[in-house]
Amino acid sequence: MNNSATIAAAGAAIKRRKNHYHQSLIPGIPDDIAQICLSLVQQPLTLYSVCQSWRRLLYSPSFPPFLSIYSLLKPSQSKEQTNQYEDSVEFANFDPISSKWHLLPPPPLEPPLRLLLRHPSFISRHLPIQSVSVSGKFVLLAATTDHLLPALSRPLVFKPLSRKWTYGPPLATPRRWCAAGASRGVVYVASGIGSHYNQEVARSIEKWDLKSNNSYCYCAHYSCNHHHDKDKGTKSGWKWEKMGGLKDGKFSREAIEAVGWRGKLCMVNVKGNAAKEGIIYDVEKDTWQEMPEGMLVGWRGPAAAMEEEIIYMVDESKGALRKYYPGNDSWMDVLENEMLKGAQHMAAAGGRVCVVRRGGDGIAVVDVVAKPPSLVVVETPLGFQVLDVHILPRMSQLDSESQ
């Protein structure tokens, strides 16, 4: 095909796309009014199934987003590979409306980020990658390099609605195997180890307030530690703040999930049914206290809080999902299912509890609002295992993806 014919064909395609894109949402009603009407529909799947224009609207940045699943995925391994170095991970999103997995855009890092999952010195375990979800964003906080050093000098933040990565402020002490959590729009890291064990680091806690508009850096280089003028992207107040320390370093032995609950962070220092210690950090008073006995005794697996109001926990040995009742300091069964045995991580939002199954073999999704509660399994993409799980607003999509 000659150049003139190519240009003519391209022009015709553009014209067709323009006519296609400007199709009215509801004939006879202005699109802005139609969008308000359609936003009142409670089930996004209804909009997805009707027509192409509604499907595009459903994924547009201006339309109220539905919740979806975000995970770190790693390639599945054979037994012969388990003693090798392993540093391949993918950031992915599962869309519950289309029932499809999508890879997130890779972080624009110079040099590329290496997150070590396995090392010959730790044959029997994975090296943790720690992340939190806060204020509708995914925040990557801590991991390990192939030299067994902290991989992240500052957080990486993914914003689903803009499909963009940004950077948080440099940590005073980059760390790994720490306690990480969020409460009321603020991210916290506590304890852990840096390049080597240090008692001061093991007792320290830092916080970063994402509620401020001055929280992000858009520089091209991950190693940037400068504070720029406002018109260049980085603002004043862009920092981690040190808070009151722990009494000892007992929470630096594991990667710990600090669960944000009613203005507090709840955490235990050992996973599973083993004897453990539990502490609670009051984010307003900057004080620590012992965990109530009933909460501590019943904490037997991964936990998460629904909208920071109700704590759910999976007893990983029995496969029982339980809810905490602070009035009588006890845990009550919500649902028991074989698919929850060996649970590794969990998240809670929008009336759903998502649990990473044993070995990263899929995600069990429990509807805790339904009566009785129901469970379905989201299958992992072929050839991958799930490392963690978060519930966040769906990504805005390119038009080709929404089609």
Side-chain angles (χ1 to χ4, degrees), residues 220-259:
H221 294 276
Y222 177 71
S223 58
C224 169
N225 289 322
H226 299 95
H227 290 259
H228 304 293
D229 295 332
K230 182 176 180 179
D231 59 350
K232 293 184 180 179
T234 308
K235 329 277 198 314
S236 61
W238 188 63
K239 64 180 181 179
W240 288 84
E241 180 181 352
K242 288 189 175 182
M243 308 302 291
L246 292 82
K247 66 179 181 180
D248 54 46
K250 293 182 179 179
F251 284 75
S252 62
R253 302 168 183 171
E254 294 268 5
I256 295 169
E257 297 173 351
V259 179

Side-chain angles (χ1 to χ4, degrees), residues 251 253-254 256 268-277 299:
F251 284 75
R253 302 168 183 171
E254 294 268 5
I256 295 169
V268 295
N269 67 337
V270 178
K271 295 181 178 180
N273 288 324
K276 58 179 70 70
E277 293 185 24
W299 198 302

Side-chain angles (χ1 to χ4, degrees), residues 91 115 128-134 138-144 150-157 168-169 171 173-176 178-182 186-190 206 208 210 222 240 256:
F91 301 93
L115 305 179
I129 298 174
Q130 295 179 259
S131 56
V132 300
S133 52
V134 56
F138 169 82
V139 182
L140 187 64
L141 286 169
T144 303
L152 297 162
S153 61
R154 53 178 175 156
L156 279 170
V157 183
L171 286 151
T173 305
R175 58 188 82 194
R176 56 199 176 97
C178 58
V186 181
V187 175
Y188 295 83
V189 293
E206 299 179 58
W208 171 38
L210 274 76
Y222 177 71
W240 288 84
I256 295 169

